[in-house]
């Protein structure tokens, strides 16, 4: 397969992917924003999250900022700004901020050395813990600990589950397809020889 | 937060996750099937895919089989069998096959030392390349190379993109919520100062 066709094909195989904007800044406060579809949950305690980065391309600005500041934000992409989120993947020069270029707004917390996306309805600050090299294809697995979560209280259900569908959080398939979701159901914790039942632990 | 509540909460933060069944077998041909929501695309050339595993729990059988056979299958979960897929997360004893217990069927290719899920409409064989330990929380990042893909030809678009929405592939949010999708659009490759447009590279 030609390179581009192969990229579309192989990128489709893993299934639906998360859509997140990662916000960073350099020592001079120059902000950067980039979309990633590889953010993955690593564990709840400690609260760890990882993502894959290619140091040889556009991700470079994000990597340099994270390496220096040790902090970044992860911001879920929702249906009302997914086109702007996609546009952050264009190759802007280092001195341009993708926030300005695509028309998204920064939001800051005093204690966090990285910009949040104001428009994102579920976002969190992360402190870098480790960068694991993957020599097989020269990528990096960047792992951080979640320190501060910003989310509307009313979408957090009684058991802790966050109804990200109600936030219109999107998913990605392949390289460039964006999707909203339609819940089939939440299923009870699986036990041998008992069929799972639908659970409903709705909002307070 | 109490442990279980915290698990629901933190698991919701990464966004929508892929839903995949990983099929393995031991040297005696005893099959195992387990659902994972952490399968992530690593690169197209070589075609690499990774997933996170906790060696201290139910994942143990999958890990032991992969370590021995060096092969496994990844099978996308679709809406018509997501409850059965969820049920594979129950703690069955090693001598039981989840295929039998939850009511899914095996499918074999001669060259592959691992069972596919017959009901899955997009599945592939993977050869183990590396297991990267993540000491931060005692998990493993299992990386493999995709060798054989089984997929209906008619959902592969001209540019290589696979229309996984038309396969009714589901996504997961949190620990236990399953979702179908609704495409917003595919967007063109982003370039500075040009708004992305919708692309349509429909089926042959």
């Amino acid at each position: 397969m030609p390179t581009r066709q192969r990229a579309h094909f192989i990128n489709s195989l893993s299934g639906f992917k998360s859509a997140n904007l990662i916000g960073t800044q350099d020592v001079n406060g120059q902000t950067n924003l980039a979309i990633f579809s590889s953010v993955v949950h690593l564990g709840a305690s400690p609260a760890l999250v990882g993502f894959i980065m290619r140091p040889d391309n556009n991700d470079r600005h994000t990597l340099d900022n994270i390496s220096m500041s040790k902090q970044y934000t992860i911001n879920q992409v929702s249906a009302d700004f997914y086109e702007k989120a996609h546009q952050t993947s264009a190759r802007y020069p280092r001195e341009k901020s993708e926030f300005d270029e695509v028309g998204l707004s920064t939001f800051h917390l005093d204690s966090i050395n990285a910009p949040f996306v104001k428009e994102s309805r579920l976002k969190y600050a992360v402190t870098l813990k480790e960068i694991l090299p993957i020599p097989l294809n020269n990528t990096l697995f960047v792992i951080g600990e979640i320190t501060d979560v910003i989310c509307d209280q009313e979408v957090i259900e009684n058991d802790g589950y966050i109804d990200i569908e109600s936030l219109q959080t999107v998913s990605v398939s392949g390289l460039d397809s964006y999707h909203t979701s339609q819940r089939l159901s939440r299923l009870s914790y699986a036990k041998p020889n008992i069929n799972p039942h639908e659970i409903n632990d709705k909002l307070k």
Side-chain angles (χ1 to χ4, degrees), chain A:
Chain A
M1 270 193 191
T3 306
R4 193 79 193 154
Q5 198 175 5
R6 182 184 172 96
H8 280 294
F9 184 77
I10 302 294
N11 263 281
S12 304
L13 296 180
S14 56
F16 286 102
K17 302 186 270 195
S18 57
N20 287 288
L21 285 165
I22 297 190
T24 57
Q25 63 190 34
D26 70 12
V27 285
N28 302 315
Q30 169 72 44
T31 59
N32 188 277
L33 190 66
I35 191 164
F36 286 87
S37 64
S38 59
V39 171
V40 63
H41 169 82
L42 274 183
S45 188
L48 297 178
V49 66
F51 69 99
I52 306 291
M53 147 176 296
R54 328 191 147 268
D56 54 349
N57 76 359
N58 218 15
D59 301 354
R60 187 79 226 176
H61 304 168
T62 299
L63 177 62
D64 290 345
N65 289 346
I66 290 179
S67 300
M68 280 193 288
S69 70
K70 313 292 185 202
Q71 285 189 313
Y72 47 108
T73 69
I74 299 184
N75 308 265
Q76 287 192 4
V77 174
S78 55
D80 54 341
F81 64 92
Y82 80 99
E83 287 133 316
K84 292 175 177 178
H86 180 78
Q87 183 63 16
T88 63
S89 62
R91 290 173 180 268
Y92 292 105
R94 191 179 287 264
E95 66 275 13
K96 297 271 189 189
S97 170
E98 287 80 6
F99 282 98
D100 302 331
E101 296 299 317
V102 309
L104 289 168
S105 317
T106 57
F107 171 81
H108 287 273
L109 285 183
D110 276 350
S111 55
I112 308 298
N113 244 333
F116 293 91
V117 177
K118 192 175 177 185
E119 290 82 354
S120 173
R121 296 179 62 193
L122 175 47
K123 50 202 173 205
Y124 43 101
V126 183
T127 297
L128 177 67
K129 299 302 280 186
E130 195 167 0
I131 299 181
L132 281 178
I134 302 175
L136 282 166
N137 66 348
N138 195 30
T139 54
L140 302 172
F141 191 42
V142 181
I143 302 174
E145 183 164 358
I146 296 162
T147 57
D148 302 75
V149 179
I150 304 175
C151 175
D152 294 348
Q153 191 71 35
E154 63 263 28
V155 298
I156 306 172
E157 301 194 357
N158 291 323
D159 64 0
Y161 172 77
I162 306 175
D163 183 3
I164 64 172
E165 181 163 291
S166 76
L167 297 177
Q168 294 249 62
T169 296
V170 302
S171 64
V172 180
S173 68
L175 286 167
D176 53 27
S177 185
Y178 295 85
H179 309 255
T180 55
S181 67
Q182 178 82 45
R183 178 173 290 107
L184 290 162
S185 70
R186 288 187 65 190
L187 294 178
S188 57
Y189 188 82
K191 293 175 181 169
N193 311 317
I194 301 172
N195 283 333
H197 60 270
E198 204 166 317
I199 57 177
N200 193 342
D201 211 336
K202 268 290 162 220
L203 314 179
K204 280 159 278 195

